[in-house]
């Protein structure tokens, strides 16, 4: 797509990339209005959180769980200079699937902060995440909890429902954050190759095809 073609298709006030994400998510959740959370101050205006927002959906598939989708790692708004790029900005958005946890009386917005922490790492380091990467959480992924949380790290898989799309700004993968236990984290630290991460994720998929994170898993 040339810049001229891009200008003919979109208006300058149009959230071109955002709408591309919405279109894909609506294939799964067409009957839902998501609970959307946005930061009080936009990142480019001096806010701390890089994500422009995160939507939470309720999924009944496999087992009831919350499905989070981020907005902000890809090119969200009108940008003719990004037309037909290979990747849309960083080339991905975060997703996460969470089994209800007893201490989360309302929406588990702590997940959004975890996503923002990871996004901040990408923005500040210039290093991005890809499928079959992993990262430790340096403690339980959900802090300030009375219950024992067994999840202490995150591995990244392609979201089994959202997958990868091509936007007017380039390719965008929905990278699902998958909670891993201390023993699994040590296994990956001992062999940090992407092939080992893939092997672990494939093992988890056998009983958990949607890779839903259960904070009590050990």
């Amino acid at each position: 797509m040339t810049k001229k073609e891009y200008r003919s298709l979109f208006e300058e006030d149009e959230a071109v990339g955002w709408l591309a994400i919405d279109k894909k998510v609506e294939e799964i959740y067409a009957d839902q209005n998501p609970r959307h959370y946005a930061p009080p101050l936009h990142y480019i205006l001096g806010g701390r959180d890089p994500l422009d927002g995160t939507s939470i959906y309720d999924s009944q598939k496999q087992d009831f769980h919350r499905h989070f989708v981020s907005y902000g790692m890809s090119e969200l708004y009108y940008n003719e200079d990004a037309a037909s790029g290979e990747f849309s900005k960083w080339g991905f958005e975060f997703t996460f699937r969470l089994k209800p946890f007893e201490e989360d009386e309302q929406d588990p917005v702590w997940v959004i902060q975890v996503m923002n922490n990871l996004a901040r790492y990408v923005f500040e380091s210039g290093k991005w995440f890809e499928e079959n990467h992993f990262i430790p959480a340096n403690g339980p992924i959900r802090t300030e909890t009375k219950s024992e949380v067994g999840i202490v790290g995150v591995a990244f898989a392609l979201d089994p429902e959202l997958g990868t799309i091509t936007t007017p700004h380039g390719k965008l993968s929905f990278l699902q954050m998958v909670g891993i236990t201390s023993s699994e984290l040590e296994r990956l630290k001992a062999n940090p190759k992407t092939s080992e991460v893939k092997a672990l994720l494939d093992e988890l998929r056998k009983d958990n095809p949607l890779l839903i994170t259960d904070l009590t898993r050990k």
Side-chain angles (χ1 to χ4, degrees), residues 8-152:
S8 70
L9 289 171
F10 307 110
E11 301 293 332
E12 291 188 7
D13 61 352
E14 197 168 357
V16 179
W18 193 301
L19 293 173
I21 295 171
D22 283 349
K23 182 179 179 181
K24 181 61 180 179
V25 177
E26 285 169 4
E27 293 178 7
I28 304 170
Y29 297 111
D31 60 342
Q32 279 194 48
N33 290 318
R35 281 101 61 203
H36 188 78
Y37 293 85
L41 183 64
H42 196 283
Y43 190 67
I44 63 173
L45 297 178
R48 175 170 168 77
D49 294 334
L51 297 178
D52 289 33
T54 305
S55 288
I56 305 177
Y57 296 85
D58 295 329
S59 177
Q60 302 289 344
K61 295 181 180 178
Q62 187 178 308
D63 296 301
F64 177 79
H65 62 278
R66 312 292 186 197
H67 193 185
F68 298 73
V69 180
S70 78
Y71 293 78
M73 303 307 296
S74 61
E75 191 70 52
L76 297 178
Y77 307 107
Y78 181 98
N79 184 355
E80 59 187 61
D81 291 331
S84 294
E86 182 178 2
F87 297 101
S88 178
K89 201 172 179 177
W90 295 106
F92 68 91
E93 291 291 350
F94 294 114
T95 75
F96 189 64
R97 296 172 186 269
L98 179 68
K99 180 180 178 180
F101 182 65
E102 61 180 5
E103 292 186 36
D104 291 327
E105 297 179 357
Q106 299 177 337
D107 274 337
V109 293
W110 60 266
V111 173
I112 298 173
Q113 194 53 57
V114 173
M115 286 182 168
N116 271 297
N117 290 342
L118 295 173
R120 197 174 302 113
Y121 166 81
V122 173
F123 276 72
E124 293 177 356
S125 71
K127 300 176 182 178
W128 57 92
F129 298 111
E130 296 180 7
E131 190 177 358
N132 299 322
H133 283 184
F134 76 97
I135 189 169
N138 297 320
I141 192 173
R142 186 193 191 279
T143 59
E144 300 178 2
T145 177
K146 298 176 183 178
S147 306
E148 186 174 353
V149 172
I151 301 301
V152 296

